[in-house]
Amino acid sequence: MKNIGIATGRRKTSIARVYIRTGKGELKINDKDIATYFSTPEQVQIAKKPLLVTASDNKYDIVITVSGGGLSGQAGACSHGLARALSQVDETNRASLKANGLLTRDSRMVERKKYGQRGARRRFQFSKR
C-alpha cells in the first residue's frame, strides 16, 4: 500500500509517526486496534478527534507508531500527527482543523529538577535553628 500522507505529532515526551493510506477506516496504533491500545475511552476520543472534525473516519486506513511518555501524552501526539497528515492529504481540511486547535503543538512539558532542591520548584525544608 502507498502512503498518501505522512506526518509527525508530538506531545510532552511522546512522538507519533502517522501514515495515511487509502482504505475503509482501519486505525492501528503500534499494530494494535485503537480501543485495545488506549486504556480509557477519553484517550481514544482525543486521538480520533481530527477524524471526527474532518468527517473522514471511514475514508482512510491509518497506521501510527508512537513511542515515549505515557498513554495520555501518546494520545495527544497521535491527535497532533493525525491532524497534520489530514491537512497534508486534503488542503480543505486545514481550516476546520485549525479552528479546533488541532494543528497547534501543545508545548507544555515537565520542568527539570534543579540541583540543591527537592524538585523543580519545591525546596528542602528550611531550618532556622
Side-chain angles (χ1 to χ4, degrees):
M1 284 209 186
K2 189 176 178 290
N3 295 325
I4 58 171
I6 301 170
T8 306
R10 292 181 183 91
R11 170 79 177 96
K12 290 186 175 181
T13 56
S14 303
I15 298 172
R17 290 190 301 271
V18 180
Y19 305 94
I20 294 183
R21 302 166 180 163
T22 52
K24 56 191 178 295
E26 217 173 88
L27 205 156
K28 296 269 186 198
I29 298 175
N30 292 352
D31 296 325
K32 290 183 183 176
D33 186 56
I34 188 167
T36 56
Y37 187 79
F38 290 120
S39 55
T40 64
E42 288 82 21
Q43 291 168 346
V44 174
Q45 190 178 359
I46 289 167
K48 277 188 165 184
K49 193 172 181 185
L51 291 171
L52 301 173
V53 167
T54 57
S56 55
D57 44 345
N58 294 328
K59 286 184 187 175
Y60 309 110
D61 281 349
I62 298 155
V63 178
I64 302 173
T65 54
V66 66
S67 63
L71 288 177
S72 182
Q74 287 184 353
C78 289
S79 175
H80 184 231
L82 198 51
R84 286 172 116 183
L86 285 169
S87 69
Q88 190 183 66
V89 169
D90 190 5
E91 201 62 39
T92 57
N93 290 336
R94 189 169 174 80
S96 60
L97 290 167
K98 199 164 179 69
N100 284 286
L102 296 169
L103 290 173
T104 308
R105 193 247 203 254
D106 192 348
S107 60
R108 293 176 296 172
M109 291 182 91
V110 176
E111 195 175 327
R112 76 173 191 87
K113 183 198 169 295
K114 278 75 166 193
Y115 60 89
Q117 295 181 20
R118 218 176 80 181
R121 305 264 173 113
R122 179 82 167 91
R123 311 289 207 264
F124 288 116
Q125 188 171 350
F126 174 71
S127 173
K128 199 171 196 175
R129 282 173 203 89

